[in-house]
Amino acid sequence: MTHFSWIDYLIFGGYLTASVGVGLFSARGSRSLGDYFLAGRGMNSILVAMSILAALFSGISYLAGPADVYKNGFAFAYVILAFFIATPFTAMYMLPKFYQSRFFTAYQFLEERFSLSVRLLASGLFIFRVALWLAAATYAPALALEKVTGMPLWLTILASGILTTLYTALGGMRAVIWTDVMQLIVLFGGQLVIVLVAVGKIPGGLGGVWDTAVADHRLDLSLSFSLSERVNLWAVLLAAAFLHLVQMATDQVSVQRYLTAGSLKEAQRSLWIKLWMILPVLVLFYGTGLVLYAFYKTHGDPMAAGLIAKEDQILPYFVVTQLPAGLPGLLIAAIYAASMSTISAGLNSLASATFVDFKQRLSKEAAGTQEQQVGRARLITVVYGFIVIGLAFAVSLMPGNLVESVNTVIGLVGGPLLGLFFLGMFTKRATTRGALLGCLAGFIGLLALYLYQNGMLTSVKPPLLVSFIWFSLLGTLITLGVGLLTSGRSGPSSGRHQ
């Protein structure tokens, strides 16, 4: 298979250099924790919206979205519809809670409502989940670059992880947001080029893509209600709404961006802007899977021919074999753009949660000057960068494709975390005891289900009981149910009085 030309390497290297340059330039303004973690709380709604979208739309999405549609059809892509449920709910009912006390992290709310122990549990679960998520986001572009350049996987993982850690540690949130904006533009433009080139080589163009999708039932969606069915109508509306809420309403990666806005109204506006921005982006990216399916139905399936090992490699395979010199470098840079946005956003949020929720809250030492605090925050960012790089090497061992692996991780930890926030925000009965027991029950219950379904608790792998897409909803319900049942009849507890 054809690999990168010198032009591709030049373009790819230039893009990485530009990303690091933006981070170095942004480092000049990070002189306090408010600057470093929240960009001085002065970002406008459009930049915040673009940053949220870029942070959550990782290289996993770039590779795994089209790959999943290519293999399984468009069914999972209908999760787009659930954003019309999750976005209004977050903007109207959850976001105001975070602005009442001008928090640095989402989990400070849980201490104010319950206790320090609940805050630390929630922040710890967030750190655990996002570290795994970032490992997958690091692995995804490394997989793509290995396929198109022949570079070993370990080298590409180290390259992406170290470079992103460098500019994130130096520049803080300003570097994250400005590189997010740049990378989102490259990301969308790159995917558009892929679609235009592919459609030009398909008999009938877009009409041929549509006819192939209809004839082969690639657009079908089951209307039945079944938890074990991989995807159906109820899953993409109900279960996916909770999946989105985990990342939009309880995730420090998103909440930290809301808090960079100057006011609650600006933050809410950014959510609405993001909703209308994400629709064309997701339609394009999932639609690419249909385009690639039609293309390779005409030109021969590379998986069937043994040219690629996993469907997650279908997009980079097309890029390197079908595009002229120069474009592969730009488009693989776009894959890196998506992943570097996610990694930088996640590292900054991991550092903020660790520094604010643990070090500042638990340390009895003097806080030190603002410059010293920023220096410690940068050191924490670097430590997490190397932890994520280490975890990235284990991602390939997870069962299922990238879509299933990532959403399983989100559900396992994010579902109980969402239930914890629901207990705090929407119930008066829940106490600290109920919140802790409910969250632990949700996590342990989902983990046991996951291990059982994958044959890790039995000698023979049992039939599937619950599809990965339902994990977030199931974890939320278990946490709510156990939390309310174990809270007793006393009134709400408050972290300030325990």
Side-chain angles (χ1 to χ4, degrees), residues 6 65 76 173 189 205 262 282 286 315 319 345 368 391 432:
W6 68 269
F76 180 79
M173 181 55 76
L282 288 183
Y286 284 122
L315 187 69
V319 166
L391 290 173
T432 292

Side-chain angles (χ1 to χ4, degrees), residues 187-396:
L187 176 76
F188 189 81
Q191 196 77 359
L192 190 59
V193 170
I194 292 173
V195 169
L196 292 175
V197 171
V199 167
K201 298 182 179 183
I202 296 172
L206 281 176
V209 174
W210 178 263
D211 291 341
T212 300
V214 172
D216 292 357
H217 303 283
R218 307 298 290 178
L219 299 172
D220 292 359
L221 179 65
S222 171
L223 302 181
S224 64
F225 183 87
S226 171
L227 295 181
S228 61
E229 190 174 19
R230 184 179 186 271
V231 179
N232 53 48
L233 176 63
W234 298 101
V236 300
L237 288 179
L238 187 58
F242 280 77
L243 194 63
H244 297 330
L245 280 172
V246 167
Q247 292 189 293
M248 293 174 62
T250 73
D251 196 323
Q252 175 68 2
V253 174
S254 294
V255 173
Q256 189 174 350
R257 273 150 189 73
Y258 306 149
L259 297 177
T260 65
S263 66
L264 173 60
K265 287 186 177 180
E266 280 287 307
Q268 290 172 323
R269 188 179 297 116
S270 71
L271 265 177
W272 293 111
I273 293 172
K274 179 225 171 188
L275 174 63
W276 296 111
M277 288 175 61
I278 203 171
L279 295 178
V281 171
L282 288 183
V283 168
L284 173 65
F285 278 79
Y286 284 122
T288 301
L290 295 177
V291 172
L292 292 178
Y293 177 83
F295 177 86
Y296 283 117
K297 186 173 183 182
T298 302
H299 295 85
D301 184 2
M303 283 191 66
L307 298 174
I308 58 175
K310 300 175 68 175
E311 66 268 19
D312 295 321
Q313 295 175 324
I314 190 68
L315 187 69
Y317 178 82
F318 176 87
V319 166
V320 77
T321 58
Q322 299 299 323
L323 301 183
L327 283 179
L330 178 62
L331 297 177
I332 296 301
I335 296 175
Y336 260 75
S339 292
M340 290 171 74
S341 292
T342 299
I343 298 166
S344 63
L347 290 178
N348 191 267
S349 296
L350 287 173
S352 67
T354 301
F355 191 89
V356 176
D357 291 328
F358 288 91
K359 185 172 180 59
Q360 269 195 339
R361 186 64 180 82
L362 300 178
S363 177
K364 296 181 180 179
E365 301 175 359
T369 65
Q370 287 289 331
E371 288 79 6
Q372 289 173 328
Q373 290 183 3
V374 171
R376 293 166 190 158
R378 284 178 171 146
L379 178 61
I380 293 171
T381 302
V382 171
V383 170
Y384 274 121
F386 283 99
I387 290 174
V388 166
I389 290 171
L391 290 173
F393 288 98
V395 171
S396 60

Side-chain angles (χ1 to χ4, degrees), residues 138 142 153-164 386 389-390 393:
T138 305
L153 189 66
W154 66 267
L155 181 60
T156 53
I157 287 176
L158 287 176
S160 60
I162 291 173
L163 284 175
T164 310
F386 283 99
I389 290 171
F393 288 98

Side-chain angles (χ1 to χ4, degrees), residues 8-65:
D8 294 312
Y9 279 111
L10 186 64
I11 292 173
F12 181 73
Y15 176 79
L16 293 183
T17 302
S19 295
V20 175
V22 170
L24 293 172
F25 181 79
S26 303
R28 302 179 307 164
S30 299
R31 297 176 180 174
S32 68
L33 286 183
D35 287 330
Y36 190 76
F37 287 138
L38 298 178
R41 299 185 190 267
M43 305 306 292
N44 69 57
S45 56
I46 295 177
L47 290 177
V48 173
M50 294 180 73
S51 178
I52 296 169
L53 178 56
L56 298 180
F57 201 85
S58 66
I60 301 166
S61 310
Y62 202 112
L63 292 172

Side-chain angles (χ1 to χ4, degrees), residues 443-465:
F443 176 68
I444 293 172
L446 286 182
L447 182 61
L449 175 63
Y450 173 78
L451 295 176
Y452 173 77
Q453 289 190 157
N454 286 281
M456 300 177 189
L457 299 180
T458 59
S459 56
V460 180
K461 187 175 180 178
L464 186 69
L465 298 177

